[in-house]
PDB file of all heavy atoms in Angstrom:
ATOM      1  N   VAL V 818     -16.896  26.658 -12.399  1.00  0.00           N
ATOM      2  CA  VAL V 818     -17.957  26.289 -11.424  1.00  0.00           C
ATOM      3  C   VAL V 818     -18.921  25.289 -12.125  1.00  0.00           C
ATOM      4  O   VAL V 818     -19.315  24.246 -11.465  1.00  0.00           O
ATOM      5  CB  VAL V 818     -18.722  27.489 -10.858  1.00  0.00           C
ATOM      6  CG1 VAL V 818     -19.881  26.974 -10.018  1.00  0.00           C
ATOM      7  CG2 VAL V 818     -17.876  28.397 -10.016  1.00  0.00           C
ATOM      8  N   VAL V 819     -19.274  25.649 -13.316  1.00  0.00           N
ATOM      9  CA  VAL V 819     -20.169  24.701 -14.028  1.00  0.00           C
ATOM     10  C   VAL V 819     -19.402  23.349 -14.338  1.00  0.00           C
ATOM     11  O   VAL V 819     -19.963  22.316 -14.237  1.00  0.00           O
ATOM     12  CB  VAL V 819     -20.554  25.331 -15.432  1.00  0.00           C
ATOM     13  CG1 VAL V 819     -21.269  24.340 -16.312  1.00  0.00           C
ATOM     14  CG2 VAL V 819     -21.484  26.535 -15.199  1.00  0.00           C
ATOM     15  N   ALA V 820     -18.136  23.438 -14.642  1.00  0.00           N
ATOM     16  CA  ALA V 820     -17.398  22.148 -14.877  1.00  0.00           C
ATOM     17  C   ALA V 820     -17.366  21.370 -13.606  1.00  0.00           C
ATOM     18  O   ALA V 820     -17.409  20.118 -13.682  1.00  0.00           O
ATOM     19  CB  ALA V 820     -15.945  22.617 -15.233  1.00  0.00           C
ATOM     20  N   PHE V 821     -17.301  22.014 -12.457  1.00  0.00           N
ATOM     21  CA  PHE V 821     -17.335  21.249 -11.172  1.00  0.00           C
ATOM     22  C   PHE V 821     -18.604  20.459 -11.094  1.00  0.00           C
ATOM     23  O   PHE V 821     -18.549  19.258 -10.759  1.00  0.00           O
ATOM     24  CB  PHE V 821     -17.193  22.252  -9.974  1.00  0.00           C
ATOM     25  CG  PHE V 821     -17.400  21.619  -8.658  1.00  0.00           C
ATOM     26  CD1 PHE V 821     -16.391  21.044  -7.983  1.00  0.00           C
ATOM     27  CD2 PHE V 821     -18.662  21.640  -8.040  1.00  0.00           C
ATOM     28  CE1 PHE V 821     -16.549  20.438  -6.686  1.00  0.00           C
ATOM     29  CE2 PHE V 821     -18.824  21.073  -6.813  1.00  0.00           C
ATOM     30  CZ  PHE V 821     -17.797  20.451  -6.182  1.00  0.00           C
ATOM     31  N   VAL V 822     -19.715  21.095 -11.365  1.00  0.00           N
ATOM     32  CA  VAL V 822     -21.089  20.434 -11.240  1.00  0.00           C
ATOM     33  C   VAL V 822     -21.168  19.364 -12.310  1.00  0.00           C
ATOM     34  O   VAL V 822     -21.672  18.259 -11.988  1.00  0.00           O
ATOM     35  CB  VAL V 822     -22.170  21.491 -11.400  1.00  0.00           C
ATOM     36  CG1 VAL V 822     -23.516  20.810 -11.407  1.00  0.00           C
ATOM     37  CG2 VAL V 822     -22.089  22.563 -10.340  1.00  0.00           C
ATOM     38  N   VAL V 823     -20.734  19.612 -13.511  1.00  0.00           N
ATOM     39  CA  VAL V 823     -20.868  18.636 -14.584  1.00  0.00           C
ATOM     40  C   VAL V 823     -19.949  17.418 -14.368  1.00  0.00           C
ATOM     41  O   VAL V 823     -20.483  16.236 -14.605  1.00  0.00           O
ATOM     42  CB  VAL V 823     -20.529  19.288 -15.969  1.00  0.00           C
ATOM     43  CG1 VAL V 823     -20.386  18.232 -17.011  1.00  0.00           C
ATOM     44  CG2 VAL V 823     -21.503  20.401 -16.309  1.00  0.00           C
ATOM     45  N   LEU V 824     -18.797  17.588 -13.813  1.00  0.00           N
ATOM     46  CA  LEU V 824     -17.931  16.485 -13.626  1.00  0.00           C
ATOM     47  C   LEU V 824     -18.212  15.680 -12.411  1.00  0.00           C
ATOM     48  O   LEU V 824     -17.887  14.472 -12.306  1.00  0.00           O
ATOM     49  CB  LEU V 824     -16.422  16.998 -13.420  1.00  0.00           C
ATOM     50  CG  LEU V 824     -15.750  17.509 -14.710  1.00  0.00           C
ATOM     51  CD1 LEU V 824     -14.443  18.256 -14.370  1.00  0.00           C
ATOM     52  CD2 LEU V 824     -15.533  16.352 -15.709  1.00  0.00           C
ATOM     53  N   LEU V 825     -18.876  16.298 -11.450  1.00  0.00           N
ATOM     54  CA  LEU V 825     -19.137  15.659 -10.140  1.00  0.00           C
ATOM     55  C   LEU V 825     -19.916  14.301 -10.247  1.00  0.00           C
ATOM     56  O   LEU V 825     -19.486  13.251  -9.747  1.00  0.00           O
ATOM     57  CB  LEU V 825     -19.809  16.611  -9.164  1.00  0.00           C
ATOM     58  CG  LEU V 825     -19.916  16.094  -7.717  1.00  0.00           C
ATOM     59  CD1 LEU V 825     -18.532  15.935  -7.122  1.00  0.00           C
ATOM     60  CD2 LEU V 825     -20.727  17.121  -6.912  1.00  0.00           C
ATOM     61  N   ILE V 826     -21.037  14.296 -10.987  1.00  0.00           N
ATOM     62  CA  ILE V 826     -21.918  13.115 -10.998  1.00  0.00           C
ATOM     63  C   ILE V 826     -21.164  11.904 -11.702  1.00  0.00           C
ATOM     64  O   ILE V 826     -21.079  10.850 -11.178  1.00  0.00           O
ATOM     65  CB  ILE V 826     -23.220  13.490 -11.693  1.00  0.00           C
ATOM     66  CG1 ILE V 826     -23.988  14.426 -10.880  1.00  0.00           C
ATOM     67  CG2 ILE V 826     -24.002  12.136 -11.911  1.00  0.00           C
ATOM     68  CD1 ILE V 826     -25.278  14.956 -11.437  1.00  0.00           C
ATOM     69  N   PRO V 827     -20.592  12.087 -12.951  1.00  0.00           N
ATOM     70  CA  PRO V 827     -19.908  10.910 -13.519  1.00  0.00           C
ATOM     71  C   PRO V 827     -18.667  10.524 -12.736  1.00  0.00           C
ATOM     72  O   PRO V 827     -18.294   9.337 -12.720  1.00  0.00           O
ATOM     73  CB  PRO V 827     -19.511  11.424 -14.924  1.00  0.00           C
ATOM     74  CG  PRO V 827     -19.574  12.935 -14.880  1.00  0.00           C
ATOM     75  CD  PRO V 827     -20.675  13.228 -13.880  1.00  0.00           C
ATOM     76  N   ALA V 828     -18.008  11.520 -12.072  1.00  0.00           N
ATOM     77  CA  ALA V 828     -16.867  11.105 -11.242  1.00  0.00           C
ATOM     78  C   ALA V 828     -17.275  10.219 -10.047  1.00  0.00           C
ATOM     79  O   ALA V 828     -16.641   9.215  -9.796  1.00  0.00           O
ATOM     80  CB  ALA V 828     -16.137  12.434 -10.776  1.00  0.00           C
ATOM     81  N   ILE V 829     -18.358  10.668  -9.384  1.00  0.00           N
ATOM     82  CA  ILE V 829     -18.859   9.863  -8.276  1.00  0.00           C
ATOM     83  C   ILE V 829     -19.319   8.449  -8.713  1.00  0.00           C
ATOM     84  O   ILE V 829     -19.019   7.422  -8.045  1.00  0.00           O
ATOM     85  CB  ILE V 829     -20.011  10.568  -7.527  1.00  0.00           C
ATOM     86  CG1 ILE V 829     -19.445  11.833  -6.844  1.00  0.00           C
ATOM     87  CG2 ILE V 829     -20.687   9.677  -6.515  1.00  0.00           C
ATOM     88  CD1 ILE V 829     -20.617  12.693  -6.183  1.00  0.00           C
ATOM     89  N   TYR V 830     -20.044   8.400  -9.825  1.00  0.00           N
ATOM     90  CA  TYR V 830     -20.450   7.160 -10.351  1.00  0.00           C
ATOM     91  C   TYR V 830     -19.321   6.215 -10.710  1.00  0.00           C
ATOM     92  O   TYR V 830     -19.312   5.048 -10.327  1.00  0.00           O
ATOM     93  CB  TYR V 830     -21.352   7.375 -11.579  1.00  0.00           C
ATOM     94  CG  TYR V 830     -21.993   6.085 -12.120  1.00  0.00           C
ATOM     95  CD1 TYR V 830     -23.190   5.638 -11.580  1.00  0.00           C
ATOM     96  CD2 TYR V 830     -21.353   5.340 -13.146  1.00  0.00           C
ATOM     97  CE1 TYR V 830     -23.726   4.371 -12.107  1.00  0.00           C
ATOM     98  CE2 TYR V 830     -21.889   4.161 -13.566  1.00  0.00           C
ATOM     99  CZ  TYR V 830     -23.144   3.753 -13.053  1.00  0.00           C
ATOM    100  OH  TYR V 830     -23.682   2.525 -13.573  1.00  0.00           O
ATOM    101  N   GLY V 831     -18.350   6.757 -11.440  1.00  0.00           N
ATOM    102  CA  GLY V 831     -17.159   5.977 -11.772  1.00  0.00           C
ATOM    103  C   GLY V 831     -16.390   5.485 -10.510  1.00  0.00           C
ATOM    104  O   GLY V 831     -15.955   4.319 -10.467  1.00  0.00           O
ATOM    105  N   ASN V 832     -16.266   6.343  -9.538  1.00  0.00           N
ATOM    106  CA  ASN V 832     -15.595   5.976  -8.305  1.00  0.00           C
ATOM    107  C   ASN V 832     -16.273   4.893  -7.582  1.00  0.00           C
ATOM    108  O   ASN V 832     -15.612   3.957  -7.041  1.00  0.00           O
ATOM    109  CB  ASN V 832     -15.525   7.201  -7.365  1.00  0.00           C
ATOM    110  CG  ASN V 832     -15.009   7.013  -6.054  1.00  0.00           C
ATOM    111  OD1 ASN V 832     -13.753   6.822  -5.830  1.00  0.00           O
ATOM    112  ND2 ASN V 832     -15.838   6.890  -5.012  1.00  0.00           N
TER     113      ASN V 832
END
Side-chain angles (χ1 to χ4, degrees):
V818 172
V819 171
F821 172 86
V822 176
V823 170
L824 288 171
L825 190 60
I826 295 174
I829 292 174
Y830 184 85
N832 175 75

